[in-house]
Amino acid sequence: MTVPFVDLKAQYQSIKEDIDKSIASVIEETAFVGGKYVTAFEESFAAMYGVKHCIGVANGTDSLYILMKMLGIGAGDEVITVANSWISSSETITQTGAKPVFVDMDPEYYSIDEKQLEDKITANTKAIIPVHLQGQMCEMDTILAIAEKHNIPVIEDCAQSHFSLYKGKKAGTMGIAGSFSFYPGKNLGAYGDAGAIITNDDTLAERCRLYSRHGAAIKHKHVMEGINSRLDSLQAAILSAKLPNILKWTEQRQANAKYYDSILAGITQVITPKVRPETSHTYHLYVVRVERRDGLIAFLKERGIETAIHYPTPLPFLPAYAYLGHQRHHFPVSHEYMNQILSLPMYPELTKEMMDYTAASIKEFYAR
Ligand SMILES: *Cc1c(COP(=O)(O)O)cnc(C)c1O
């Protein structure tokens, strides 16, 4: 048996007719940039989130950058994010001219450790970017209370947490804005790069829309300089075709996670993911911590099981951030976990047989 880490083809086959029809309409109408397909997706995504504005952009990295730029963040400022994330969370901070300030990950829930957040705030802190990594919600009440006390906006990085819930509230609706990626492998994925911003702030929404479209709402009327970061119409049409299925797919991910939890429970060398109370984890990734991780990866690979690491090197320890001079003891949890974390195959179409085979192979590895 082979178990791929993700299987985008299985999902395509299940909705092939809708997808093919959507793509054909965009081409027939030559509605390649902007127009009704983009607007339709923006409207349905905003409606599902119960927010006033959704601005489609080119990808989930741009959405973070655009938000920070339009909040006026730049040189001399600091923005706080988490040590264990994808580099978009921090490189966009640098792109604005600001300095990324990292907080260690929480040892239990793997997201930003909110207990260490306030210590990192200075007079220059201009935003906090909690990342709802793996589909797990950050401790938003605490983060929002600290942010409010210091009058700092919170941008939620929801690239891995489509429709995750915190005390009944959706990821991306608690801070000033939510930033989404629709990279193909994300829980809601396009067939290329795509992203979106959601917000209830009228001024911010207007500014983000302008900035992402060369600073012009009307062709040639550039009220400011901007960038070219539009949501592609083909991607918008594909996303609209997929959107009605997202909650069902999320439930399937959650059911798979529950099944993994049960079949991995007896293996003492494996720690299964813990879910923060009063939240709904949407399992973009199913991350375990294991003993002898690299040996296990090789063993599983031999048996046709693909795994991944999110992430092999925490952001502060990447060569890209060597100039900040971070030491391992500044981020002890991230440093310790970097050699333990392992992402097992996780997607809605994953079968019980595949999970059974994966669990049996893990047991076999530790029994040797
Ligand atoms: C995927 C991802 C992004 C960036 O999204 P792209 O669409 O690939 O630019 C940002 N933050 C996190 C946490 C991500 O996982």
PDB file of all heavy atoms in Angstrom, residues 259-272:
ATOM      1  N   TYR A 259      -9.754   9.122  14.533  1.00  0.00           N
ATOM      2  CA  TYR A 259      -9.378   7.724  14.297  1.00  0.00           C
ATOM      3  C   TYR A 259      -7.881   7.514  14.549  1.00  0.00           C
ATOM      4  O   TYR A 259      -7.484   6.569  15.233  1.00  0.00           O
ATOM      5  CB  TYR A 259      -9.767   7.296  12.877  1.00  0.00           C
ATOM      6  CG  TYR A 259      -9.623   5.807  12.668  1.00  0.00           C
ATOM      7  CD1 TYR A 259     -10.443   4.921  13.357  1.00  0.00           C
ATOM      8  CD2 TYR A 259      -8.654   5.282  11.820  1.00  0.00           C
ATOM      9  CE1 TYR A 259     -10.297   3.547  13.199  1.00  0.00           C
ATOM     10  CE2 TYR A 259      -8.506   3.913  11.650  1.00  0.00           C
ATOM     11  CZ  TYR A 259      -9.332   3.050  12.345  1.00  0.00           C
ATOM     12  OH  TYR A 259      -9.183   1.700  12.190  1.00  0.00           O
ATOM     13  N   TYR A 260      -7.065   8.430  14.029  1.00  0.00           N
ATOM     14  CA  TYR A 260      -5.625   8.381  14.311  1.00  0.00           C
ATOM     15  C   TYR A 260      -5.393   8.376  15.827  1.00  0.00           C
ATOM     16  O   TYR A 260      -4.597   7.592  16.337  1.00  0.00           O
ATOM     17  CB  TYR A 260      -4.945   9.635  13.748  1.00  0.00           C
ATOM     18  CG  TYR A 260      -4.251   9.526  12.420  1.00  0.00           C
ATOM     19  CD1 TYR A 260      -4.334  10.585  11.510  1.00  0.00           C
ATOM     20  CD2 TYR A 260      -3.471   8.423  12.063  1.00  0.00           C
ATOM     21  CE1 TYR A 260      -3.670  10.550  10.284  1.00  0.00           C
ATOM     22  CE2 TYR A 260      -2.801   8.386  10.842  1.00  0.00           C
ATOM     23  CZ  TYR A 260      -2.901   9.442   9.950  1.00  0.00           C
ATOM     24  OH  TYR A 260      -2.243   9.413   8.749  1.00  0.00           O
ATOM     25  N   ASP A 261      -6.071   9.298  16.533  1.00  0.00           N
ATOM     26  CA  ASP A 261      -5.913   9.394  17.997  1.00  0.00           C
ATOM     27  C   ASP A 261      -6.124   8.022  18.634  1.00  0.00           C
ATOM     28  O   ASP A 261      -5.361   7.607  19.500  1.00  0.00           O
ATOM     29  CB  ASP A 261      -6.946  10.363  18.598  1.00  0.00           C
ATOM     30  CG  ASP A 261      -6.628  11.822  18.322  1.00  0.00           C
ATOM     31  OD1 ASP A 261      -5.506  12.118  17.876  1.00  0.00           O
ATOM     32  OD2 ASP A 261      -7.519  12.676  18.547  1.00  0.00           O
ATOM     33  N   SER A 262      -7.189   7.337  18.175  1.00  0.00           N
ATOM     34  CA  SER A 262      -7.535   6.071  18.820  1.00  0.00           C
ATOM     35  C   SER A 262      -6.534   4.965  18.478  1.00  0.00           C
ATOM     36  O   SER A 262      -6.133   4.209  19.351  1.00  0.00           O
ATOM     37  CB  SER A 262      -8.967   5.649  18.440  1.00  0.00           C
ATOM     38  OG  SER A 262      -9.022   5.279  17.082  1.00  0.00           O
ATOM     39  N   ILE A 263      -6.096   4.895  17.242  1.00  0.00           N
ATOM     40  CA  ILE A 263      -5.200   3.785  16.886  1.00  0.00           C
ATOM     41  C   ILE A 263      -3.749   4.037  17.275  1.00  0.00           C
ATOM     42  O   ILE A 263      -2.955   3.115  17.358  1.00  0.00           O
ATOM     43  CB  ILE A 263      -5.289   3.408  15.379  1.00  0.00           C
ATOM     44  CG1 ILE A 263      -4.976   4.588  14.474  1.00  0.00           C
ATOM     45  CG2 ILE A 263      -6.677   2.837  15.055  1.00  0.00           C
ATOM     46  CD1 ILE A 263      -5.021   4.242  12.983  1.00  0.00           C
ATOM     47  N   LEU A 264      -3.401   5.299  17.545  1.00  0.00           N
ATOM     48  CA  LEU A 264      -2.025   5.601  17.966  1.00  0.00           C
ATOM     49  C   LEU A 264      -1.897   5.651  19.487  1.00  0.00           C
ATOM     50  O   LEU A 264      -0.785   5.741  20.019  1.00  0.00           O
ATOM     51  CB  LEU A 264      -1.563   6.941  17.372  1.00  0.00           C
ATOM     52  CG  LEU A 264      -1.477   7.032  15.839  1.00  0.00           C
ATOM     53  CD1 LEU A 264      -1.225   8.469  15.407  1.00  0.00           C
ATOM     54  CD2 LEU A 264      -0.377   6.111  15.301  1.00  0.00           C
ATOM     55  N   ALA A 265      -3.051   5.589  20.162  1.00  0.00           N
ATOM     56  CA  ALA A 265      -3.080   5.821  21.619  1.00  0.00           C
ATOM     57  C   ALA A 265      -2.156   4.898  22.407  1.00  0.00           C
ATOM     58  O   ALA A 265      -1.534   5.314  23.381  1.00  0.00           O
ATOM     59  CB  ALA A 265      -4.512   5.697  22.131  1.00  0.00           C
ATOM     60  N   GLY A 266      -2.026   3.665  21.979  1.00  0.00           N
ATOM     61  CA  GLY A 266      -1.234   2.714  22.763  1.00  0.00           C
ATOM     62  C   GLY A 266       0.275   2.794  22.559  1.00  0.00           C
ATOM     63  O   GLY A 266       1.030   2.122  23.252  1.00  0.00           O
ATOM     64  N   ILE A 267       0.706   3.612  21.619  1.00  0.00           N
ATOM     65  CA  ILE A 267       2.146   3.633  21.304  1.00  0.00           C
ATOM     66  C   ILE A 267       2.839   4.680  22.178  1.00  0.00           C
ATOM     67  O   ILE A 267       2.644   5.878  21.995  1.00  0.00           O
ATOM     68  CB  ILE A 267       2.376   3.937  19.802  1.00  0.00           C
ATOM     69  CG1 ILE A 267       1.473   3.044  18.933  1.00  0.00           C
ATOM     70  CG2 ILE A 267       3.844   3.754  19.434  1.00  0.00           C
ATOM     71  CD1 ILE A 267       1.522   3.373  17.444  1.00  0.00           C
ATOM     72  N   THR A 268       3.656   4.217  23.129  1.00  0.00           N
ATOM     73  CA  THR A 268       4.223   5.157  24.120  1.00  0.00           C
ATOM     74  C   THR A 268       5.224   6.129  23.500  1.00  0.00           C
ATOM     75  O   THR A 268       5.459   7.196  24.044  1.00  0.00           O
ATOM     76  CB  THR A 268       4.917   4.388  25.264  1.00  0.00           C
ATOM     77  OG1 THR A 268       5.871   3.478  24.674  1.00  0.00           O
ATOM     78  CG2 THR A 268       3.926   3.599  26.079  1.00  0.00           C
ATOM     79  N   GLN A 269       5.796   5.767  22.347  1.00  0.00           N
ATOM     80  CA  GLN A 269       6.797   6.650  21.721  1.00  0.00           C
ATOM     81  C   GLN A 269       6.152   7.754  20.886  1.00  0.00           C
ATOM     82  O   GLN A 269       6.853   8.580  20.301  1.00  0.00           O
ATOM     83  CB  GLN A 269       7.725   5.822  20.805  1.00  0.00           C
ATOM     84  CG  GLN A 269       8.577   4.800  21.534  1.00  0.00           C
ATOM     85  CD  GLN A 269       7.873   3.437  21.670  1.00  0.00           C
ATOM     86  OE1 GLN A 269       6.660   3.318  21.480  1.00  0.00           O
ATOM     87  NE2 GLN A 269       8.642   2.426  22.033  1.00  0.00           N
ATOM     88  N   VAL A 270       4.820   7.765  20.834  1.00  0.00           N
ATOM     89  CA  VAL A 270       4.110   8.744  19.993  1.00  0.00           C
ATOM     90  C   VAL A 270       3.173   9.593  20.854  1.00  0.00           C
ATOM     91  O   VAL A 270       2.361   9.055  21.621  1.00  0.00           O
ATOM     92  CB  VAL A 270       3.279   8.027  18.897  1.00  0.00           C
ATOM     93  CG1 VAL A 270       2.464   9.019  18.078  1.00  0.00           C
ATOM     94  CG2 VAL A 270       4.191   7.207  17.986  1.00  0.00           C
ATOM     95  N   ILE A 271       3.286  10.910  20.734  1.00  0.00           N
ATOM     96  CA  ILE A 271       2.365  11.821  21.430  1.00  0.00           C
ATOM     97  C   ILE A 271       1.427  12.422  20.383  1.00  0.00           C
ATOM     98  O   ILE A 271       1.876  13.100  19.451  1.00  0.00           O
ATOM     99  CB  ILE A 271       3.134  12.936  22.167  1.00  0.00           C
ATOM    100  CG1 ILE A 271       4.087  12.310  23.204  1.00  0.00           C
ATOM    101  CG2 ILE A 271       2.171  13.915  22.839  1.00  0.00           C
ATOM    102  CD1 ILE A 271       5.085  13.296  23.786  1.00  0.00           C
ATOM    103  N   THR A 272       0.139  12.144  20.526  1.00  0.00           N
ATOM    104  CA  THR A 272      -0.842  12.636  19.547  1.00  0.00           C
ATOM    105  C   THR A 272      -1.225  14.088  19.888  1.00  0.00           C
ATOM    106  O   THR A 272      -1.040  14.537  21.015  1.00  0.00           O
ATOM    107  CB  THR A 272      -2.096  11.735  19.545  1.00  0.00           C
ATOM    108  OG1 THR A 272      -2.599  11.643  20.880  1.00  0.00           O
ATOM    109  CG2 THR A 272      -1.779  10.344  19.027  1.00  0.00           C
TER     110      THR A 272
END
